[in-house]
């Protein structure tokens, strides 16, 4: 059992209680907004409009499309209220997602000249603004817009007067959030400014149709993209999954003569055109499935259809009763039956059918966790094909996605960072050449590169581009893999994206040690302090924990990792809070001076300990290191060992990470790849077996031959190995080798079959007789898990429940494999090199294998549309 020193336990308790105020955080993080916020006419009765429009005495109801509110001051002499400006809710206009994948809900004030006069964040879902960066940083960012005009070209970054670009300062560590927020400010401001006449409306050229007289069937219309589908499933609006969609709609253009005549027939199209003006546009919508109405049950004469609207660029177009015509039938052959239909007319001058547009459906969404109701926006894009337009489609310049702008604006640092990763990878690939040039007294051929990597990691990667990887990213990847993969989420931070590609590749090639030992900013800082302390004369105070304590405490980081992973399945927000066990944000992202004292004290204690013992955080606490250690079990290439290592302790004594055991074996989950043992491996004077052989040859007048790949002098004549060494453990493998029956001569399909059976069938024929109860319990559990997957596929079991079942099966599989198939592969997976599995080996193998299998099953079910 593990006992922590009382003082250390007291410190952890104090640190935990210091978090409690954070757990009760108010602010705008996931704040509760009124349920009827999206539909209420009196917006300012629900929201603090005066906070964003100082001096306003009263406000109008919502008006316009997209909606806005007028702000009034003191009445004029005539008694008429003086119009001061406008207030808008960002989500009424755009749902641009920030880094969390959710929009930052913002209330914005703008005067009659188009200048921003107030900005207030009502709700956000950015965890980095909960802990890593104070929410006040976003408030300060928004304050930069005050006094600026919606007519200004505002971008995140430095101003460029020659291009008439006004720059606003970013928030370090939250670049994606502020780029998205800048887009929200610009889109919201310009949309309202165009409506009220502050800005000129966007002019789009009238369409010129290529008319051939063709008449298309429904299938042909769909194939050509002339008719589009908008499908909303019940689970997307917080309802239980069912066989019937929430709503299924088909829609399309009715302006093109060939398309209109194909849908309505010749007479129907001519009748429609006679009822609308030449500069007006028409579209049709039909509901083919679902009980939800796109017209809205609350529609009254003289009102608007509040469930559907058309969006084109920054403009939104809604429909009144006078914009609605009945659709009596569809003439296209093969058209589906429908239960609701309409023809809507867009009468605004700014719309052009030759440009892309979207049909947006506003659905009432229920949050299952809180019961809160909000309007969710679902849309589908429509753009007439080039073949039906004279001269093809017009050129359209749309706003770039935030992640693309990040890559462009930081191209040079990104290129330098990528170059650093490649350089370190190449240098490490040639580690054997470097270690052969080194000796135990002169390690500079290795250390010159390693210390340079540390310096760049601390200065450039950590404090410069702030690319310190974190356990929260592992949790995010895990959740995205299981629930919803979004490339833009991961591409939005290019440094972290590139870093994780490097980490994933190198972990499977070499283990966690290349990242943890060479490029982790905090790990590099910790070890640099340890080395510096030696230079400053503190070596006599430096120590290693006794082996018995080290081998107990090293498991703490795995417990922290699994704890965070478990918590994240129920609350990602709470997992983000608990992930503050990592000192990375305080050290690099925010700075000790900008955080509450417990965070700064925690970092100071860790770095202070690093002066006296090597990498204490990396060895005992780091959940990121634990998450990378598990796949390191299956690294392809390890550090070299020779048979004599089982009786020689030279490397083990000098191993700072204490990753070499008494038998000379390296635990690649703990190894940080300092390469000191590799230097000794070929050092004729530092490696005791080599030094002994060198002295024998010198005494006998024999030639000193080069050292071969096996770590010994190339023999002039065979020399018998010491019997004790030869008969001892083989340190070239982490555990003793195991011969698996039936694998010797397997090739082709037989080899594939045996691999599948080995990975998917954990039982053995021997266990069927000796462990019959355990075997049958496993069969029953396997059947139950299979039923659970079927229930999940039919929408009767939640994702969290299936994960729980899968976890239970994994625990059983570890137990049965330790009893029946106690082995794992060592090295490349296509080779049949097996070794005995320890408990951690089996935990790593089963956890990683079942994660991949589970993610694969999730993706298959989701792709088939069977999973909630």
């Amino acid at each position: 059992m593990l006992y922590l020193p009382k003082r250390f336990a007291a410190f952890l308790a104090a640190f935990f209680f210091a978090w409690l105020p954070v757990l009760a955080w108010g602010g705008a993080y996931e704040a509760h907004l009124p349920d009827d916020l999206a539909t209420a006419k009196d917006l300012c009765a629900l929201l603090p409009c005066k906070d964003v429009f100082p001096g306003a005495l009263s406000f109008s109801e919502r008006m316009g499309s997209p909606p806005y509110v007028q702000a009034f001051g003191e009445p004029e002499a005539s008694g008429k209220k003086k119009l001061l400006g406008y207030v808008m809710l960002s989500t009424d206009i755009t749902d641009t997602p920030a880094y969390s994948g959710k929009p930052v809900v913002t209330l914005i004030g703008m005067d009659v000249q188009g200048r921003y006069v107030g900005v207030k964040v009502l709700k956000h879902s950015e965890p980095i603004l909960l802990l890593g960066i104070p929410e006040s940083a976003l408030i300060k960012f928004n304050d930069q817009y005050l006094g600026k005009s919606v007519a200004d070209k505002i971008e995140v970054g430095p101003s460029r007067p020659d291009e008439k670009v006004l720059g606003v300062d970013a928030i370090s560590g939250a670049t994606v959030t502020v780029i998205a927020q800048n887009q929200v400010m610009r889109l919201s401001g310009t949309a309202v400014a165009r409506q009220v006449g502050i800005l000129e409306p966007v002019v789009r050229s009238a369409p010129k149709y290529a008319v051939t007289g063709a008449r298309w069937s429904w299938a042909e219309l769909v194939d050509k993209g002339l008719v589009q589908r908008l499908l909303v499933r019940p689970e997307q609006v917080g309802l239980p999954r069912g066989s019937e969609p929430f709503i299924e709609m088909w829609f399309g253009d009715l302006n093109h003569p060939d398309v209109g005549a194909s849908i309505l027939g010749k007479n129907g199209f001519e009748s429609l055109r006679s009822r609308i003006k030449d500069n007006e546009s028409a579209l049709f919508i039909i509901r083919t499935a679902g009980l939800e109405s796109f017209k809205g049950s609350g529609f009254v004469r003289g009102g608007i259809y509040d469930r559907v609207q058309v969006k084109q660029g920054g403009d939104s177009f809604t429909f009144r009763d006078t914009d609605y015509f009945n659709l009596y039938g569809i003439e296209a052959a093969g058209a589906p039956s429908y239960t609701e239909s309409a023809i809507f007319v867009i009468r605004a001058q700014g719309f052009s059918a030759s440009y892309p547009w979207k049909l947006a459906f506003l659905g009432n969404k229920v949050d299952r966790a809180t019961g809160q109701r909000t309007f969710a926006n679902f849309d589908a894009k429509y753009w007439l094909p080039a073949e039906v337009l004279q001269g093809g489609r017009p050129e359209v310049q749309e706003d770039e996605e935030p992640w693309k702008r990040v890559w462009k604006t930081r191209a040079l640092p990104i290129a330098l960072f990528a170059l650093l990763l490649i350089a370190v990878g190449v240098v490490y690939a040639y580690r054997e050449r470097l270690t052969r040039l080194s000796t135990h007294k002169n390690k500079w051929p290795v250390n010159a590169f390693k210390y340079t990597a540390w310096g760049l990691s601390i200065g450039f990667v950590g404090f410069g581009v702030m690319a310190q990887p974190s356990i929260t990213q592992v949790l995010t990847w895990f959740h995205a893999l299981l629930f919803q993969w979004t490339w833009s989420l991961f591409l939005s931070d290019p440094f972290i994206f590139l870093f994780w590609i490097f980490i994933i590749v190198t972990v499977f090639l070499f283990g966690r040690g290349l990242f943890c030992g060479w490029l982790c900013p905090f790990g590099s800082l910790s070890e640099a302090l340890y080395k510096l302390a030696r230079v400053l004369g503190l070596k006599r105070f430096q120590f290693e924990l006794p082996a018995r304590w080290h081998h107990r405490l090293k498991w703490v980081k795995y417990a922290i990792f699994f704890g965070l992973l478990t918590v994240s399945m129920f609350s990602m927000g709470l997992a983000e809070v608990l992930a503050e066990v990592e000192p990375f944000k305080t050290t690099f992202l925010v700075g000790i001076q900008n955080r509450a004292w417990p965070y700064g004290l925690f970092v100071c204690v860790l770095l202070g300990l690093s002066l006296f013992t090597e990498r204490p955080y990396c060895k005992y606490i780091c959940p990121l290191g634990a998450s990378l250690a598990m796949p390191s079990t299956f690294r392809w290439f390890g550090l070299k060992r020779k048979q004599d290592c089982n009786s020689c302790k030279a490397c083990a004594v000098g191993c700072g990470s204490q990753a070499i055991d008494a038998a000379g074996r390296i635990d690649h989950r703990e190894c940080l790849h300092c390469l000191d043992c590799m230097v000794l491996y070929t050092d004729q004077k530092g490696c005791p077996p080599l030094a002994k052989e060198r002295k024998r040859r010198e005494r006998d007048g024999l030639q000193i031959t080069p050292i071969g790949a096996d770590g010994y002098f190339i023999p002039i004549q065979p020399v018998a190995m010491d019997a004790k060494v030869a008969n001892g453990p083989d340190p070239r493998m982490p555990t003793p080798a195991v011969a698996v029956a039936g694998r010797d001569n397997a090739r082709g399909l037989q080899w594939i079959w045996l691999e599948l059976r080995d990975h998917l069938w954990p039982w053995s024929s021997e266990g069927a007789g000796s462990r019959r109860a355990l075997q049958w319990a496993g069969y029953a559990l396997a059947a139950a898990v299979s039923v659970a997957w079927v229930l999940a596929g039919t929408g009767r079991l939640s994702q969290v429940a299936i994960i729980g079942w899968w976890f239970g099966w994994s625990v059983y599989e570890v137990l049965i494999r330790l009893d029946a198939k106690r082995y794992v592969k060592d090295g490349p997976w296509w080779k049949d090199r097996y070794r005995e599995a320890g408990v951690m080996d089996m935990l790593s193998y089963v956890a990683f294998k079942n994660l991949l299998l589970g993610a694969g099953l999730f993706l298959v079910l989701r792709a088939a549309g069977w999973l909630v």
Side-chain angles (χ1 to χ4, degrees):
M1 190 172 178
L2 178 63
Y3 297 95
L4 294 177
K6 291 183 179 179
R7 291 184 180 179
F8 185 59
F11 170 74
L12 289 180
F15 188 62
F16 172 77
F17 284 113
W19 278 351
L20 292 181
V22 179
L23 294 174
W25 182 272
Y29 182 77
E30 292 294 0
H32 180 85
L33 299 179
D35 293 341
D36 57 344
L37 181 60
T39 56
K41 286 189 174 295
D42 192 353
L43 179 71
C44 295
L46 303 176
L47 299 178
C49 293
K50 289 187 178 181
D51 288 358
V52 298
F53 213 113
L57 300 178
S58 61
F59 300 90
S60 71
E61 292 186 341
R62 268 186 170 119
M63 59 177 61
S65 177
Y68 61 90
V69 168
Q70 292 179 325
F72 299 105
E74 293 283 354
E76 297 176 339
S78 61
K80 184 179 179 182
K81 292 181 180 179
K82 182 180 180 180
L83 178 64
L84 300 179
Y86 312 92
V87 174
M88 63 212 80
L89 181 65
S90 63
T91 47
D92 282 345
I93 301 166
T94 177
D95 54 359
T96 301
Y99 186 74
S100 63
K102 299 178 182 179
V104 175
V105 184
T106 310
L107 195 64
I108 304 167
M110 178 180 69
D111 66 17
V112 291
Q113 283 79 40
R115 293 187 298 262
Y116 295 106
V117 295
V119 185
K120 185 179 181 65
V121 173
L122 303 175
K123 177 180 180 179
H124 70 83
S125 304
E126 307 297 281
I128 191 65
L129 299 178
L130 171 65
L131 282 167
I133 297 172
E135 195 175 272
S136 59
L138 183 59
I139 297 172
K140 291 180 180 177
F141 172 80
N142 287 332
D143 286 347
Q144 296 178 87
Y145 290 85
L146 302 183
K148 292 183 173 65
S149 171
V150 293
D152 295 330
K153 188 176 182 181
I154 304 173
E155 292 185 3
V156 176
S159 296
R160 301 194 301 276
D162 54 327
E163 300 177 33
K164 297 182 179 179
V165 172
L166 288 179
V168 288
D169 295 331
I171 301 174
S172 295
T175 307
V176 178
T177 301
V178 296
I179 287 179
Q181 183 68 355
N182 179 59
Q183 195 167 329
V184 166
M185 295 293 296
R186 291 191 303 106
L187 289 175
S188 301
T190 54
V192 174
R194 286 197 181 102
Q195 281 192 73
V196 299
I198 296 173
L199 295 179
E200 293 292 330
V202 175
V203 178
R204 300 180 178 92
S205 58
K208 296 180 180 179
Y209 301 119
V211 182
T212 62
R215 297 294 179 268
W216 295 300
S217 67
W218 184 263
E220 290 172 325
L221 289 166
V222 173
D223 184 60
K224 292 177 181 293
L226 295 165
V227 170
Q228 295 289 345
R229 180 192 191 206
L230 199 165
L231 176 67
V232 181
R233 298 187 179 277
E235 59 268 24
Q236 291 178 277
V237 291
L239 299 176
R241 187 184 185 278
S243 57
E244 185 76 6
F246 184 69
I247 190 169
E248 180 186 52
M249 299 185 293
W250 293 87
F251 65 97
D253 175 83
L254 288 178
N255 304 294
H256 192 290
D258 292 345
V259 180
S262 296
I263 297 292
L264 303 177
K266 181 180 179 181
N267 293 334
F269 176 70
E270 290 177 351
S271 173
L272 172 64
R273 293 311 308 177
S274 68
R275 299 164 68 186
I276 63 177
K277 299 177 181 178
D278 292 340
N279 58 0
E280 296 176 342
S281 303
L283 67 144
F284 79 94
I285 306 174
I286 59 173
R287 180 186 65 189
T288 53
L291 299 177
E292 184 67 11
S293 168
F294 65 77
K295 295 179 182 178
S297 57
F299 177 78
V300 295
R301 188 161 187 81
I304 64 170
Y305 294 91
D306 60 358
R307 293 300 179 89
V308 288
Q309 59 182 232
V310 167
K311 296 183 177 182
Q312 190 169 57
D315 299 325
S316 297
F317 307 95
T318 54
F319 307 105
R320 295 188 172 274
D321 56 348
T322 54
D323 304 323
Y324 165 84
F325 295 149
N326 287 320
L327 174 64
Y328 294 107
I330 296 178
E331 295 294 320
S337 58
Y338 51 88
T339 53
E340 190 174 47
S341 63
I343 294 174
F344 289 113
V345 179
I346 302 173
R347 306 189 189 277
Q349 302 297 310
F351 181 84
S352 173
S354 61
Y355 286 77
W357 53 275
K358 294 178 181 179
L359 177 69
F361 172 78
L362 279 71
N364 204 356
K365 183 176 181 178
V366 180
D367 188 316
R368 291 189 182 185
T370 64
Q372 183 178 359
R373 290 180 174 271
T374 57
F375 266 97
N377 197 318
F378 306 93
D379 56 48
K381 188 175 181 179
Y382 188 95
W383 197 357
L384 285 171
E387 64 189 74
V388 302
L389 295 169
Q390 292 183 24
R393 288 173 167 175
E395 290 188 10
V396 176
Q397 186 175 0
E398 297 180 338
D399 279 345
E400 286 185 312
E401 294 181 71
W403 70 266
K404 292 181 180 178
R405 298 176 70 183
V406 172
W407 282 75
K408 286 183 178 180
T409 55
R410 309 200 70 184
L412 180 58
I414 291 169
L416 292 174
F417 181 69
L419 185 63
L420 171 63
L421 298 179
I422 294 170
V424 171
V426 170
V427 167
Y428 188 80
Y430 285 94
R431 63 193 178 280
E432 290 188 39
R433 293 191 182 184
L434 294 176
T435 54
R436 282 178 178 267
L437 295 173
S438 305
T439 67
H440 70 294
K441 291 185 178 181
N442 179 23
K443 298 176 184 177
W444 278 105
V446 171
N447 288 347
F449 289 102
K450 186 168 62 175
Y451 292 172
T452 301
W454 287 358
L456 291 172
S457 174
I458 297 167
F460 175 60
V461 179
F463 290 109
V465 299
M466 301 181 182
Q468 168 72 63
S470 166
I471 188 61
T472 57
Q473 292 147 12
V474 175
L475 301 178
T476 301
W477 283 68
F478 176 78
H479 279 250
L481 194 63
L482 293 182
F483 299 123
Q484 184 176 2
W485 184 270
T486 307
W487 274 109
S488 59
L489 174 63
F490 304 107
L491 288 167
S492 57
D493 193 329
F495 299 102
I496 293 296
F497 180 77
L498 292 176
F499 217 160
W500 273 106
I501 292 176
F502 172 85
I503 291 169
I504 290 169
V505 171
T506 57
V507 160
F508 283 102
L509 287 176
F510 311 118
R512 67 177 276 218
L514 180 53
F515 162 70
C516 292
W518 288 52
L519 277 176
C520 174
F522 191 83
S524 299
L525 178 60
S526 177
E527 188 157 2
L529 288 173
Y530 181 78
K531 301 291 186 186
L532 180 62
R534 285 190 167 190
V535 175
L536 296 176
L538 297 177
K539 184 176 180 179
R540 65 183 182 277
F541 301 110
Q542 293 181 332
F543 64 92
E544 284 185 351
L545 285 183
R548 64 190 184 92
W549 279 107
H550 168 76
H551 291 300
R552 292 175 180 178
L553 288 174
K554 72 180 183 181
W555 300 110
V556 172
K557 60 180 176 288
Y558 296 98
I560 294 173
F561 166 62
F562 282 113
L564 289 173
L565 184 63
T566 302
V567 170
S568 74
M569 299 308 302
F570 300 96
S571 171
M572 192 65 179
L574 180 57
E576 289 274 359
V577 173
L578 297 178
E580 281 294 319
V581 72
E582 291 182 325
F584 307 151
K585 291 177 185 176
T586 303
T587 306
F588 300 108
L589 200 58
V590 183
I592 293 176
Q593 71 280 6
N594 297 321
R595 303 211 70 183
W597 69 266
Y599 301 100
L601 179 61
F602 184 50
V603 171
C604 290
V605 168
L606 291 175
L607 295 180
L609 283 173
S610 298
L611 294 170
F612 303 102
T613 187
E614 192 169 342
R615 292 184 181 243
Y617 176 78
C618 305
K619 290 192 285 191
Y620 306 121
I621 302 176
C622 183
L624 175 63
S627 70
L628 300 180
M630 296 181 68
S632 294
T633 304
F634 318 109
R635 83 281 168 277
W636 289 1
F637 307 108
L639 301 180
K640 289 192 171 183
R641 302 273 79 199
K642 54 173 72 89
Q643 185 68 21
D644 278 278
C645 293
N646 63 19
S647 59
C648 172
K649 310 300 180 186
C651 291
V653 170
C655 180
S657 58
Q658 298 174 261
I660 302 177
D661 65 13
R665 293 171 172 144
I666 297 177
D667 183 349
H668 287 278
R669 286 185 293 268
E670 302 300 319
C671 176
L672 298 178
H673 291 201
C674 67
L675 298 184
D676 285 356
C677 62
M678 286 288 286
V679 170
L680 284 178
Y681 185 76
T682 54
D683 187 349
Q684 299 180 16
K685 296 181 179 180
C687 176
L690 288 181
K692 181 180 178 181
E693 173 64 10
R694 177 183 58 80
K695 290 177 181 178
R696 186 188 70 82
R697 292 191 179 198
E698 287 176 347
R699 184 183 65 246
D700 297 342
L702 300 175
Q703 181 182 357
I704 305 297
T705 58
I707 298 171
D710 61 355
Y712 294 102
F713 289 104
I714 297 174
I716 300 172
Q717 55 187 10
V719 178
M721 183 178 290
D722 182 87
K724 182 179 179 181
V725 172
N727 296 327
D730 184 354
R732 290 168 294 185
M733 294 186 74
T735 52
V738 172
V740 179
R743 303 304 300 261
D744 294 338
N745 300 313
R747 297 290 185 273
L749 292 176
Q750 183 188 12
W751 183 88
I752 294 174
W753 161 248
L754 290 173
E755 281 290 299
L756 289 173
R757 188 183 70 177
D758 209 31
H759 291 308
L760 301 178
W761 190 261
W763 302 283
S764 68
S765 56
E766 295 82 3
S770 61
R771 299 285 189 274
R772 186 169 298 176
L774 189 61
Q775 295 268 24
W776 280 103
Y779 297 149
L781 182 59
V785 171
S786 300
V787 171
W789 277 104
V790 172
L791 292 175
T794 57
R796 297 171 184 167
L797 198 66
S798 70
Q799 293 180 353
V800 173
I802 187 62
I803 290 171
W805 274 101
W806 200 232
F807 178 79
W809 163 254
S810 298
V811 171
Y812 169 81
E813 187 176 351
V814 169
L815 297 176
I816 193 67
R817 282 186 179 274
L818 285 173
D819 181 73
K821 291 184 174 181
R822 197 182 182 111
Y823 57 80
V824 292
K825 279 194 173 184
D826 190 72
W829 60 269
W830 59 85
K831 293 184 179 180
D832 294 327
R833 188 183 183 199
Y834 294 91
R835 62 180 178 85
E836 184 180 302
V839 174
M840 193 60 200
D841 292 324
M842 193 59 73
L843 280 172
S844 299
Y845 164 70
V846 171
F848 189 71
K849 171 180 70 76
N850 286 355
L851 172 63
L852 293 181
L853 288 174
L857 287 168
F858 266 112
L859 294 175
V860 168
L861 291 176
R862 185 175 294 282
W866 297 339
L867 192 65
V868 177

